Each structure stands twice: as C-alpha cells, then as structure tokens.
Amino acid sequence: MLNIIIFGAPGSGKGTQSENLIKKYNLAHISTGDVLRAEMKNGTELGKLAEGYISKGQLVPDDVVIEMLANVLDTKTDVSGVVFDGFPRTIAQSEALEKILEKRGEKISVVVNLEVEEPELIDRLIKRGQQSGRSDDNLETIKSRLDVYKSQTSPLKEHYEKSGKLATIKGLGTIDEIFTLISEAVDKVK
Ligand code: B4P
C-alpha cells in the first residue's frame, strides 16, 4: 500500500499534484477540501457547518473532519493506496490518521511537503478565485488561511521530519518539473 500525504500551504499545488499522483500510481484520492465543498453544494448539515468556517478561512473542527475522513476512507476498498490531500492539518488529525491506518494494518509511506513562498501563494489563489469564484479565494480569506496554516498546520512538518517521512520539494516551476521531483521521492518508498 502506498499512502501519500500531500502537504503544503493553501495554493502550494496540493490538488494539482494529487491529480498527477493518482494517475501515475493508480491511487485513490481523498481531498477533505473537495469533500467539504461537495457537502456545501448539496446543502447538507455538514456542508452548512463547514461553510461558516471555510468562508472565514478557518479550519473545520477536528472531530468533524476526522469522522468525515474515516467514513470516506472506509469506501476506498480494493485500492493500491491513497493520496491524502489537505489532511491532516493539525496534530490531532495526524494522530487520528495514524490510528485509523493502524487499524487497517497500514501506515503513511511518505509526506510530500510542497514549499512555496507567500507572495506566489497569494497570486495563485487570487487568480484561481477570479476563474473559479471559490468563495475562500479572496485576499482577506487567503490571509487568514495562510495564518492558520502557519500556526496550526506547519508544526506538523517537524512531527513528520522526526519520523523520517518528510520529503520537502520546492513547489515553484512548471507542474511537470515539480511532479518529476515528487515522483522521485515517491519511488524511493514504493
Ligand atoms: P483545500 O481545498 O484543501 O484548499 P487549499 O489548502 O487552499 O488548497 P488547494 O488544494 O485548493 O490548492 P492547491 O494547493 O492545490 O481546503 C479548503 C478549506 O477547507 C480549508 O481552508 C479549510 O477551511 C477546510 N478544510 C479542508 N481540509 C480540512 C481539514 N483537514 N481540517 C479542517 N478543515 C479543512 O493550489 C492550487 C492553485 O495553484 C491552483 O489554482 C493551481 O492552478 C495553482 N498551481 C498549482 N501548481 C502550480 C504551479 N506549479 N505554478 C503555478 N500555479 C500552480
């Protein structure tokens, strides 16, 4: 089983590179952001709750996201591995993921950490907001997402560095150039 966490600030290219990973390695893809946006679109209770956090650039509470992730993962049977895109985002989520995988007799293979500087992140997200109309891709919300990333998510890097799973990759350049570097990191643990 190849279980890959794709990790990075908002706009670092997690979603983009996840698409490449699932194609090349034939993996299932779980993007907690995509799952939450689908719930919002369908107007479910979870979607309504998530909307309040996402529109402010805040994280959806851990217990809600952890339960959601566990349920989605249960539907991914008969797969050769999973790309976890945007999960975990807090220490509590990373501990929960380890327990969930342990129950399945699995573990994280590698954590791909995409590093991109802040002005470039802001540029990319503003551009996407203009095209997609995503409600959280506006300057004010982008700034809070970046603050939340720094305070709550980036501490996870140290956690995965200690376990020897972190592969840090410069996320600047063309999508193909970056994917070549990601593939090299994945091939080492395959
Ligand atoms: P996500 O959907 O995960 O949004 P994101 O972090 O902003 O990253 P995204 O995947 O969309 O963007 P990417 O880096 O691919 O989360 C949205 C919200 O949901 C969160 O803020 C939070 O509220 C909530 N949420 C999600 N997961 C949660 C969790 N686990 N716990 C609690 N709350 C959670 O960037 C892509 C952009 O960059 C694209 O426009 C792309 O075209 C561009 N790009 C990519 N590579 C490029 C390159 N090489 N050069 C130029 N542009 C590039």
Side-chain angles (χ1 to χ4, degrees), residues 32 44 83 87 113 146 153 169 185:
T32 42
T44 64
V83 176
F87 187 98
N113 170 36
L146 291 171
T153 307
I169 284 158

Side-chain angles (χ1 to χ4, degrees), residues 62-184:
D62 281 337
D63 53 344
V64 175
V65 184
I66 290 168
E67 191 188 340
M68 181 184 90
L69 184 279
N71 290 338
V72 178
L73 190 59
D74 278 345
T75 66
K76 309 286 181 195
T77 49
D78 240 358
V79 294
S80 48
V82 176
V83 176
F84 295 92
D85 167 6
F87 187 98
R89 265 175 150 97
T90 62
I91 296 282
Q93 291 181 19
S94 74
E95 289 168 354
L97 180 60
E98 270 149 46
K99 283 196 194 127
I100 291 168
L101 289 177
E102 208 176 281
K103 273 197 199 146
R104 293 163 61 109
E106 291 170 38
K107 51 187 180 18
I108 300 296
S109 315
V110 63
V111 180
V112 173
N113 170 36
L114 292 172
E115 294 272 2
V116 179
E117 275 147 30
E118 203 166 299
E120 169 73 13
L121 295 172
I122 295 174
D123 256 24
R124 287 183 188 180
L125 294 173
I126 294 222
K127 262 188 216 137
R128 182 173 66 186
Q130 285 160 352
Q131 287 154 11
S132 73
R134 221 173 100 167
S135 64
D136 56 347
D137 283 344
N138 61 75
L139 190 56
E140 199 190 337
T141 312
I142 291 168
K143 284 192 171 154
S144 23
R145 284 155 70 197
L146 291 171
D147 286 344
V148 165
Y149 172 77
K150 273 183 233 154
S151 59
Q152 299 188 51
T153 307
S154 75
L156 282 176
K157 281 190 261 183
E158 201 186 321
H159 171 77
Y160 288 118
E161 181 93 71
K162 277 190 193 142
S163 62
K165 302 228 157 132
L166 196 73
T168 295
I169 284 158
K170 204 167 178 327
L172 213 58
T174 68
I175 290 166
D176 287 349
E177 281 163 358
I178 299 163
F179 188 61
T180 302
L181 300 174
I182 294 177
S183 299
E184 282 167 15

